[in-house]
Amino acid sequence: MSSEPNWREYGPLELPRILDAALQAFYENGYHGTTTRDLSRRSGLSVPGVYHYYPSKQDILVDLMMVIIDELLTRSRQALETASPDTRSQFDALVESLLRFHMYRRTGATVSTAELRSLEPGNRERYVAKRDEQQRMLDRVILEGVRNGDFSTHFPKDASRAIASLCVGVASWYQPDGALPVEVLLERYLTIARSIVGICGGTLDGQPR
């Protein structure tokens, strides 16, 4: 990602060839169903060549999942930084960013969700710390909205988890050639997210819908 990217814009995910091979293999066959020989074949390297870069398949999985979660965190921070400072705008920007990520990076998001169980304990702790950082961004916005009266939910932390799950779930079904345009899907799911925190209607980027 460039130094001043637009968090709404997504191009092809550019990964080193071993990670690119791992992304596709883990998505199709799962971590445990993929061998180092599979990764070697997909990446165009010999098996020793793969081991030259990564000591183990576990190291490949960790590196891949960290690349994915780091992009999500970066885009989420940018969404908050560029949104208006009021709570509703911050909420809309963060939820929209989460939705777009799980639409446009659905393969990586799916692998990360499915293969969390495959991380060894120390690696899992590192990854979960980053995932928790992402969740706390949403927690803070919702808690602030409840404090200032913008949101009416009595269960802000539960609402935050529900919205995060809603966004993550998009990766399991979204298809770019589906019947509804991206903006329509975004507005529909933003409306659902707003209703969870106690907003009826609302705006996207300050524009009435």
Side-chain angles (χ1 to χ4, degrees), residues 80 85-92 94 136-157 159-160 163 193-194 196-199:
L80 291 174
D86 63 282
T87 312
R88 291 195 183 193
S89 294
Q90 293 272 299
F91 176 81
D92 274 7
L94 186 52
R136 285 193 297 271
M137 289 187 203
L138 190 56
D139 290 347
R140 284 193 294 268
V141 171
I142 293 174
L143 285 168
E144 178 59 27
V146 170
R147 279 193 291 267
N148 66 25
D150 278 345
F151 307 152
S152 62
T153 178
H154 296 294
F155 311 104
K157 291 222 172 154
S160 182
I163 291 167
R194 293 173 192 134
I196 291 172
V197 294
I199 303 173

Side-chain angles (χ1 to χ4, degrees), residues 24-158:
Q24 299 306 319
F26 296 161
Y27 181 73
E28 293 169 15
N29 303 315
Y31 173 75
H32 292 294
T34 299
T35 66
T36 306
R37 190 169 295 281
D38 293 332
L39 298 178
S40 152
R41 176 180 54 80
R42 287 173 182 259
S43 63
L45 295 170
S46 65
V47 171
V50 173
Y51 283 125
H52 173 76
Y53 293 100
Y54 288 98
S56 69
K57 189 175 68 166
Q58 176 73 193
D59 289 298
I60 296 172
L61 177 64
V62 173
D63 206 2
L64 176 63
M65 289 180 63
M66 289 301 183
V67 168
I68 293 164
I69 191 71
D70 283 343
E71 183 184 3
L72 174 59
L73 286 167
T74 297
R75 288 181 182 274
S76 295
R77 293 186 193 109
Q78 290 162 353
L80 291 174
E81 289 167 2
T82 56
S84 299
D86 63 282
T87 312
R88 291 195 183 193
S89 294
Q90 293 272 299
F91 176 81
D92 274 7
L94 186 52
V95 174
E96 182 189 347
S97 179
L98 285 166
L99 287 167
R100 285 185 185 275
F101 185 86
H102 288 89
M103 292 164 71
Y104 291 112
R105 295 289 188 254
R106 61 192 183 282
T107 302
T110 299
V111 168
S112 293
T113 299
E115 300 304 343
L116 177 60
R117 61 190 175 186
S118 300
L119 290 176
E120 294 171 359
N123 294 329
R124 188 178 191 278
E125 289 170 8
R126 288 171 51 215
Y127 179 82
V128 169
K130 288 179 179 284
R131 189 188 64 180
D132 289 348
E133 181 182 348
Q134 174 68 52
Q135 184 66 55
R136 285 193 297 271
M137 289 187 203
L138 190 56
D139 290 347
R140 284 193 294 268
V141 171
I142 293 174
L143 285 168
E144 178 59 27
V146 170
R147 279 193 291 267
N148 66 25
D150 278 345
F151 307 152
S152 62
T153 178
H154 296 294
F155 311 104
K157 291 222 172 154
D158 296 293

